[in-house]
Amino acid sequence: MITKELHTSNRILMGPGPSDAHPKVLQAMATPLIGHLDPEFVEIMDEVKEMVQQTFITKNNLTFVVSAPGSAGMETCLVNLIEPGDEVIIGVNGVFGGRMSEIAERCGAKVHRIEKQWGTVVTTADVKAALEKCPKPKLLALVHAETSTGALQPLQEISDLIHNAGGLLMVDAVTSYCGVELQVDEWNIDAIYTGTQKCLSAPPGLSPVSFSERAIKVLDERKTKVQSWFLDLTLVKNYWAGSKRAYHHTAPVSSIFALRESLRLVLEEGLENRWKRHQEVHQVLKTKLENLGFKYLVEEQYRLPNLNSVYLPEGNDEALIRRKLLDEYNIEVGGGLGDFAGKIWRIGIMGESCTLNHVNMLISALEDMKEFKS
Ligand SMILES: *Cc1c(COP(=O)(O)O)cnc(C)c1O
């Protein structure tokens, strides 16, 4: 029988998420529960919706929070927009593009994958070539910030290409949201999802999403039922529609409290200040890492500031050093995925974990550790 109280070490989170949470966010999570249909909670959901619109920089009315992690936001976008037999184009330059493509296939779509080497991005030429093979796609899906590689995908020009072809632009913004510039309306993004545990610095488990008028039209014109009951927007949207509130599922009340506080903190700091902070702390981290002999995976122009993918200096056992960082210095960094497993580290400086203190703690720990060879 387990009788010991729950205990975790006081970690410093510098991996690909979750990131450190602000004490006020953790405190919000411990607020006494209220009912999910309580008028006070309805008001909190309305406030959350408004702040999600502000942080996405969108006026989209169909903006709400899926009661499940980022992957469920991904699935929400795809199951609602795709009907069996639809053709879609998906950029695959890392783990998450691969996951989108897997879900789209399960929705019965014919998927045209734009396969790119991991660590690079999808170019306008790639999209033009894909449109030649598939001139009338239902949608094009791209990952704005590919957390498996640290690459930042430019979106603006590609947005015009897909709209001219009559398709929708769907974007994974899980790691870019509240860390780098992201403009949903300005860039004409039709369907977007994100997560809470990356640059927003809230606990994992929720996924803010937003849909444009064009996307709603596609939804309204569906001939078949959405394959998923839980994620069917036609049902769940009423749950987020203020006065019309009707029971759909029981919202994760405590997580919504935490989300509300994290969004409030983002807006208090200001989105642009927050983007700037990530850029500035990244510059310091980059210089210090390069001084120790680390090398970046992604070309400078397409590098994410908040997720630093780096090769270790020659002669280091990455798994051993990563483990010692965790066990002896309480610092978590991420290992590589796929082809990069055992080769790179993914160092996150996201939200509350994006401070000079974090950079100094990591660099000092490496300098102190006798197994690390710079
Ligand atoms: C983390 C992440 C996801 C998945 O989010 P979960 O909350 O782990 O389900 C999806 N896409 C990207 C780019 C991510 O970084």
Side-chain angles (χ1 to χ4, degrees), residues 2 8 33 47 51 60 90 126 138 198 213 223 225 235 272 276 330 354 363:
I2 297 167
T8 62
L33 295 180
E47 290 166 347
M51 290 193 284
N60 286 342
I90 298 182
D126 295 329
K138 188 82 168 277
K198 315 243 169 149
E213 290 301 321
K223 294 184 189 71
K225 269 193 179 176
L235 304 172
E272 289 187 10
K276 198 161 146 247
N330 266 324
C354 179
I363 300 296

Side-chain angles (χ1 to χ4, degrees), residues 205-261:
L206 292 175
S207 180
V209 298
S210 185
F211 295 83
S212 73
E213 290 301 321
R214 275 187 300 270
I216 293 171
K217 188 157 175 282
V218 165
L219 192 61
D220 289 343
E221 288 172 359
R222 281 187 72 104
K223 294 184 189 71
T224 57
K225 269 193 179 176
V226 172
Q227 299 91 323
S228 160
W229 178 86
F230 187 66
L231 303 175
D232 183 344
L233 280 177
T234 54
L235 304 172
V236 80
K237 73 179 182 201
N238 292 330
Y239 189 51
W240 278 84
S243 55
K244 278 195 284 173
R245 184 77 30 118
Y247 170 70
H248 177 264
H249 65 278
T250 310
V253 169
S254 309
S255 300
I256 297 277
F257 291 161
L259 173 61
R260 185 195 180 284
E261 183 58 15

Side-chain angles (χ1 to χ4, degrees), residues 124-324:
T124 51
D126 295 329
V127 174
K128 283 179 190 158
L131 285 169
E132 257 162 44
K133 289 199 204 107
C134 171
K136 290 266 164 254
K138 188 82 168 277
L139 60 84
L140 162 66
L142 293 172
V143 178
H144 189 207
E146 189 36 272
T147 321
S148 60
T149 67
L152 177 62
Q153 173 67 51
L155 294 171
Q156 280 164 283
E157 279 180 66
I158 290 179
S159 175
D160 291 342
L161 291 176
I162 181 65
H163 289 123
N164 290 341
L168 301 174
L169 176 62
M170 172 185 153
V171 171
D172 174 321
V174 177
T175 286
S176 57
Y177 180 62
C178 298
V180 299
E181 184 177 11
L182 171 67
Q183 308 252 9
V184 171
D185 284 359
E186 182 74 24
W187 299 351
N188 282 311
I189 297 170
D190 297 299
I192 190 162
Y193 62 93
T194 185
T196 44
Q197 76 273 32
K198 315 243 169 149
C199 294
L200 194 55
S201 278
L206 292 175
S207 180
V209 298
S210 185
F211 295 83
S212 73
E213 290 301 321
R214 275 187 300 270
I216 293 171
K217 188 157 175 282
V218 165
L219 192 61
D220 289 343
E221 288 172 359
R222 281 187 72 104
K223 294 184 189 71
T224 57
K225 269 193 179 176
V226 172
Q227 299 91 323
S228 160
W229 178 86
F230 187 66
L231 303 175
D232 183 344
L233 280 177
T234 54
L235 304 172
V236 80
K237 73 179 182 201
N238 292 330
Y239 189 51
W240 278 84
S243 55
K244 278 195 284 173
R245 184 77 30 118
Y247 170 70
H248 177 264
H249 65 278
T250 310
V253 169
S254 309
S255 300
I256 297 277
F257 291 161
L259 173 61
R260 185 195 180 284
E261 183 58 15
S262 67
L263 287 163
R264 195 192 66 76
L265 287 167
V266 168
L267 293 167
E268 188 175 75
E269 177 177 11
L271 268 180
E272 289 187 10
N273 292 335
R274 201 171 174 94
W275 301 336
K276 198 161 146 247
R277 171 161 63 85
H278 282 86
Q279 207 41 261
E280 285 171 356
V281 175
H282 162 74
Q283 287 304 328
V284 177
L285 175 66
K286 169 181 173 282
T287 305
K288 290 183 189 272
L289 285 174
E290 286 177 343
N291 285 343
L292 288 178
F294 286 87
K295 290 202 169 57
Y296 274 81
L297 168 72
V298 177
E299 204 185 312
E300 188 150 15
Q301 178 185 9
Y302 300 117
R303 231 173 252 168
L304 277 172
N306 49 331
L307 200 280
N308 294 257
S309 287
V310 284
Y311 290 101
L312 280 80
E314 286 287 316
N316 284 292
D317 176 344
E318 78 80 18
L320 173 90
I321 294 169
R322 197 150 47 84
R323 188 61 204 249
K324 283 203 166 271

